[in-house]
Amino acid sequence: MKAAAGLLRDQGPAAVTTRRVAHEAGLQPPALYRFFQDKDDLLDVAAEHVFVEHVACKQTTAPSDDPVEDLRAGWNTQISFGLANPYVYGLLLDPARARATPAQVKGVLILAERVHRIAAAGRLRVSEERAVNLIRSAGIGTVHTLLTLPPEQSDPGLADAAFDAIARAILVDEPAVVPTQDPAAVVATFRTLLPELPGLSKAEDALLDEWLRR
């Protein structure tokens, strides 16, 4: 797995052949089929291995007192990973191979936790789900654009500009208070308090959450 991940990261999917991987791992080629069904399976596992290491590094970052800056730091880390690992990133996002791997699920959960902290601070103007999806969409598009731009059209400030655009779409300048000019921010903040509200049954809690989503 480590041998396949190294070849994928450095040379791309074409380099990940059973013969090459077996040689790098000190095995005979037929031995690989005891662990992997075929080359596609090997590629999927290799991509997941690289992404697991990336997610593990994100988990070691302790949150600061500013959830918005933590979100920006996470954005920068994700963009850097995509630019440094174009082959892996391409495989993870290939619609023909798309699947929710454990590392990808964990990565989304880390993002959702950061967005939840922003909502709890009264800074979110949209639902947490919408914010997560907007951030993911913008991040994927930014990495794809930067990877495919011709060198003469390189735009080093594109990632920062994309984050600023997303921030304007999902954040309010000041924490939501009552009265407020942005009721959606109050609703998004209130949703974060639902688990702490006393006296509600699970059904009532779910119904209230549905109303707030609307």
Side-chain angles (χ1 to χ4, degrees):
M1 185 170 61
K2 291 181 180 179
L7 289 170
L8 173 63
R9 185 169 44 226
D10 299 335
Q11 301 179 42
V16 186
T17 64
T18 52
R19 184 176 297 277
R20 182 81 179 274
V21 172
H23 175 75
E24 295 285 337
L27 299 171
Q28 293 298 317
L32 289 185
Y33 294 103
R34 294 187 313 207
F35 307 102
F36 309 103
Q37 296 179 4
D38 50 30
K39 179 180 176 177
D40 280 344
D41 187 33
L42 185 59
L43 280 172
D44 287 341
V45 171
E48 174 74 353
H49 179 75
V50 177
F51 197 64
V52 163
E53 294 179 337
H54 166 63
V55 172
C57 289
K58 291 175 69 173
Q59 287 183 278
T60 60
T61 304
S64 72
D65 294 332
D66 188 336
V68 175
E69 283 307 307
D70 288 346
L71 181 64
R72 182 185 291 274
W75 168 275
N76 290 336
T77 298
Q78 191 72 8
I79 298 297
S80 297
F81 170 80
L83 297 181
N85 299 275
Y87 300 124
V88 175
Y89 206 76
L91 280 177
L92 291 172
L93 297 178
D94 183 354
R97 317 174 71 94
R99 57 191 180 91
T101 67
Q104 287 174 297
V105 171
K106 185 61 181 177
V108 174
L109 286 176
I110 292 173
L111 172 59
E113 289 167 2
R114 290 178 176 171
V115 169
H116 181 75
R117 290 183 60 230
I118 292 174
R123 295 290 308 277
L124 203 61
R125 72 164 73 244
V126 299
S127 71
E128 295 178 44
E129 295 81 4
R130 171 63 63 85
V132 168
N133 288 334
L134 282 172
I135 294 164
R136 293 182 66 195
S137 300
I140 291 169
T142 299
V143 171
H144 177 75
T145 301
L146 288 172
L147 288 175
T148 55
L149 277 177
E152 65 274 12
Q153 298 179 19
S154 176
D155 185 355
L158 182 64
D160 287 338
F163 180 86
D164 290 340
I166 286 295
R168 287 192 295 272
I170 68 173
L171 303 178
V172 293
D173 293 333
E174 299 294 337
V177 293
V178 179
T180 179
Q181 298 301 313
D182 199 332
V186 175
V187 173
T189 305
F190 182 53
R191 277 192 68 205
T192 68
L193 302 177
L194 286 184
E196 303 172 17
L197 293 181
L200 293 180
S201 68
K202 290 184 178 180
E204 291 168 334
D205 185 84
L207 182 58
L208 179 55
D209 186 60
E210 180 183 345
W211 288 339
L212 291 173
R213 285 172 190 262
R214 294 182 192 177

